Amino acid sequence: MSTDRLIDAILQKKNPTVLGLDPQPSHLPPEFLQEAAEEYGETLEALAIAAVRVNEVLIDALHDIVPAVKLQLACYEQLGPAGMVVFAETAELAKAHGLYVIADGKRGDIGSTSEAYSAAYLGGVQFGDKFLTVYDTDALTVNPYLGSDNLEPFIKDCERHDKMLFVLCKTSNPSSREVQELPAGDRVLYKVIAEQISRAGAKLVGSYGYSAIGIVAGATQPSAMRVLRERHPGLFFLVPGYGAQGGNAEDIAYSFDKYGRGAIVNNSRGITCAWQKSGDPLPDAARRAAIDMRNDLQKHIIMV
């Protein structure tokens, strides 16, 4: 089960951190940008080359510390076709280093379009006698707000191909309450979403008791995380918002069960941009930041 593989990787490294590889041009070290510009000029292709080289350095420096990476698709799409080549190469390299790969695209649409999104990231495309995989990531983030027929193709592919979903539930952005806390009968909307997701994933539960259909629950929403964990012990949480967005390890601990399982915490800029604060080379700064985050989480989350 895909969820079990993720939990095994977390327990092996005693670290529930997922490294966000989000190559914004302003976040790339100047020496990488300069080298790529000398080869390809000031082009999208140069930015893509710089991005993939940075990702390679980060994966090489951190694969023994973090169990997973999360690739924000928007950051690759903005670089055009070359950016999506970088996405594919980064995902492949991460998997070759034994890392669990989450595609963060927040996809979701009418059924037939969701089928296409799911085929790209979780399943594949049939061509004659061959079944062709595309990006073959381990998990994908999806948006639930078009209803159950939006989610069904993704859930089916999770079952067929041993993949995982993270469904938006209570996100870390400040204005999330404008929609996610709207009244829905005697509840609020994000709690309704969590209940629906819990039911939808009930048949895809692994040996640790967690479903392959999880949710996104932001680190900046500790009270919501506490309620969601108490009510839905089988939901695995993807937790954004640590560090730069204001989430801290003490609050994040509410996402985990008593064994220190049930969640993985994203950090992007805090690790990949650590060189900007320290002045150290990219791999050294990133490695120190990743170790600091692991140690911070371990103070509040005991994994057994």
Side-chain angles (χ1 to χ4, degrees):
M1 181 73 72
S2 183
T3 318
D4 291 342
R5 288 191 284 108
L6 177 56
I7 295 173
D8 284 339
I10 292 170
L11 294 176
Q12 181 182 10
K13 295 176 180 176
K14 299 293 183 183
N15 185 10
T17 297
V18 55
L19 170 66
L21 294 176
D22 306 340
Q24 292 281 10
S26 61
H27 297 170
L28 302 176
E31 62 269 24
F32 288 82
L33 292 168
Q34 182 178 350
E35 182 182 10
E38 288 173 356
E39 295 179 55
Y40 297 93
E42 294 181 342
T43 61
L44 290 174
E45 287 74 14
L47 286 174
I49 289 295
V52 76
R53 289 174 179 170
V54 166
N55 286 352
E56 288 170 350
V57 168
L58 289 168
I59 290 171
D60 187 59
L62 301 175
H63 69 87
D64 63 324
I65 299 172
V66 301
V69 295
K70 182 174 74 66
L71 311 184
Q72 172 51 258
L73 275 159
C75 294
Y76 297 88
E77 290 170 354
Q78 70 178 337
L79 303 180
M84 291 309 295
V85 172
V86 173
F87 174 87
E89 291 178 349
T90 300
E92 185 176 355
L93 180 64
K95 293 184 80 169
H97 280 78
L99 299 175
Y100 195 91
V101 179
I102 302 170
D104 188 3
K106 301 173 180 67
R107 298 305 197 231
D109 210 315
I110 63 170
S112 58
T113 309
S114 285
E115 287 177 4
Y117 280 137
S118 188
Y121 296 100
L122 303 176
V125 178
Q126 193 72 41
F127 183 27
D129 294 331
K130 292 186 177 181
F131 185 77
L132 308 173
T133 57
V134 187
Y135 297 115
D136 195 28
T137 52
D138 295 299
L140 177 68
T141 61
V142 296
N143 191 323
Y145 289 101
L146 270 75
S148 59
D149 60 345
N150 156 34
L151 294 178
E152 285 171 4
F154 298 108
I155 294 172
K156 287 179 180 178
D157 275 339
C158 285
E159 185 173 10
R160 290 171 185 152
H161 305 293
D162 191 22
K163 304 290 185 175
M164 194 171 181
L165 286 186
F166 292 104
V167 183
L168 299 183
C169 182
K170 191 69 179 80
T171 56
S172 58
N173 56 305
S175 64
S176 67
R177 62 178 59 90
E178 295 174 3
V179 174
Q180 295 164 14
E181 294 184 16
L182 286 173
D186 59 349
R187 297 164 294 173
V188 292
L189 186 55
Y190 79 86
K191 294 180 181 179
V192 175
I193 293 294
E195 290 172 9
Q196 292 176 341
I197 299 309
S198 186
R199 290 195 297 270
K203 64 179 180 179
L204 296 178
V205 175
S207 60
Y208 289 102
Y210 285 96
S211 173
I213 314 302
I215 60 171
V216 177
T220 57
Q221 312 289 337
S223 60
M225 287 195 296
R226 188 172 193 169
V227 168
L228 290 170
R229 173 52 65 221
E230 289 174 352
R231 294 187 180 182
H232 304 288
L235 285 179
F236 197 95
F237 293 3
L238 170 60
V239 183
Y242 175 89
Q245 294 184 48
N248 61 66
E250 185 175 2
D251 290 338
I252 286 168
Y254 291 126
S255 298
F256 292 80
D257 65 21
K258 63 182 180 180
Y259 302 108
R261 303 169 189 168
I264 192 164
V265 185
N266 181 71
N267 193 351
S268 301
R269 288 170 288 171
I271 295 174
T272 62
C273 294
W275 62 271
Q276 293 178 331
K277 292 184 178 180
S278 69
D280 293 329
L282 172 67
D284 298 336
R287 188 172 179 86
R288 188 175 300 111
I291 291 172
D292 287 346
M293 179 179 175
R294 179 193 65 192
N295 294 344
D296 186 33
L297 292 174
Q298 287 178 348
K299 292 177 184 177
H300 301 278
I301 304 158
I302 300 173
M303 286 170 282
V304 296

